[in-house]
Amino acid sequence: MNKEKIAAIAADLMKERRSHPHKEVGNKYYHGQRVAKIALTLRKIVLPEDDSRDDILTAAAWMHDCANGEQNYGDHAANGARICRELLADCCTPEELDGICHIVAHHDDRSHTVEYDTWLKCHQDADHLDHFGSYDVMMAFLECNANGRTIGDMLKWMLHDRPAQMEKVKSQLNFEISRKIYEEKIAFMTEFALRYRAETEGEIIGLDEILGKQ
Ligand SMILES: [Fe+2]
Ligand SMILES: [Fe+2]
């Protein structure tokens, strides 16, 4: 597999583009880079002895959202798989191309329309997990600003609405380790939001320690 060429294709398609006007430039390019790393981390945990498809997992992650955010993009997973089949044809073997396109085509599938193999499961969980934690906090700020919301609205979202989705999100994750990582990310956002709420009310965090008191 010519990974350098695939990396260049992914950069060419997504690095200067944003999928939505209020999101950062290159958002789907950098998301793909992160998802590749997370997917490999999960693969090493759930299937430690088998690195045979790591290149497929990596290339699929880099490219999986290449059609996300295009105008009239429709089903961005199916369209992304079509783009991969066309653009990556001379970067890998037919079997590798099938593996990449399979992951891209089904990365958003949460209803088991096909049987999920371990690699698709690793990708899906990595893709989902990348939306939580510090990135979720950043999205809250960007969307709050874009939609004219208040700090109070954002705090409600971080402390109530987002954690309220917990059971649904957990049911969409394939591995127990992914659910534990997700829980840690929600705990981080809650901790951040509590400090943010205190500071927006003029409190100074840790003042006793700063003053040397217990
Ligand atoms: Fe996607
Ligand atoms: Fe994604």
Side-chain angles (χ1 to χ4, degrees):
M1 183 182 295
N2 187 341
K3 280 171 72 185
E4 289 78 32
K5 190 166 177 192
I6 298 174
I9 290 169
D12 203 40
L13 283 174
M14 293 174 277
K15 205 167 180 180
E16 302 301 326
R17 185 179 96 193
R18 51 183 115 201
S19 66
H20 302 83
H22 65 285
K23 294 186 179 176
E24 79 280 15
V25 172
N27 64 317
K28 290 301 176 190
Y29 172 76
Y30 294 104
H31 166 61
Q33 303 289 303
R34 296 192 298 270
V35 171
K37 286 184 97 169
I38 302 167
L40 287 190
T41 299
L42 292 176
R43 196 283 298 158
K44 285 173 188 164
I45 294 167
V46 300
L47 204 60
E49 305 301 325
D50 187 353
D51 63 359
S52 63
R53 294 175 76 84
D54 281 2
D55 283 352
I56 291 171
L57 204 48
T58 300
W62 286 347
M63 292 292 289
H64 78 281
D65 273 339
C66 67
N68 192 331
E70 287 180 352
Q71 285 196 331
N72 303 318
Y73 62 84
D75 180 347
H76 79 279
N79 288 344
R82 266 193 291 277
I83 291 168
C84 286
R85 197 160 284 286
E86 192 184 315
L87 296 186
L88 308 189
D90 59 356
C91 301
C92 46
T93 66
E95 293 73 29
E96 287 170 338
L97 189 58
D98 284 346
I100 293 168
C101 292
H102 178 71
I103 291 174
V104 174
H106 297 287
H107 78 265
D108 245 5
D109 182 1
R110 307 280 176 224
S111 51
H112 293 260
T113 57
V114 291
E115 193 176 333
Y116 299 171
D117 59 34
T118 302
W119 296 275
L120 179 58
K121 287 178 181 176
C122 285
H123 175 90
Q124 287 184 336
D125 283 11
D127 195 3
H128 223 12
L129 287 171
D130 186 53
H131 292 91
F132 298 94
S134 57
Y135 200 81
D136 210 15
V137 172
M138 187 182 89
M139 278 298 118
F141 279 83
L142 291 177
E143 293 196 8
C144 171
N145 196 40
N147 296 308
R149 300 209 177 98
T150 65
I151 285 173
D153 294 332
M154 191 161 50
L155 282 167
K156 178 178 168 295
W157 187 83
M158 287 194 279
L159 288 169
H160 178 267
D161 301 353
R162 203 58 160 157
Q165 299 168 349
M166 190 173 266
E167 288 314 309
K168 182 178 167 217
V169 173
K170 279 165 120 178
S171 75
Q172 293 170 336
L173 291 166
N174 296 303
F175 301 118
E176 188 55 27
I177 182 63
S178 306
R179 288 186 274 276
K180 288 197 171 122
I181 293 167
Y182 164 71
E183 283 172 356
E184 191 281 334
K185 285 171 177 277
I186 288 291
F188 162 78
M189 190 165 74
T190 301
E191 188 184 345
F192 171 86
L194 290 173
R195 175 171 178 145
Y196 183 58
R197 183 171 69 186
E199 290 184 334
T200 60
E201 290 169 354
E203 285 184 36
I204 295 174
I205 308 300
L207 185 59
D208 285 349
E209 286 80 359
I210 293 166
L211 290 171
K213 295 178 192 163
Q214 285 303 316

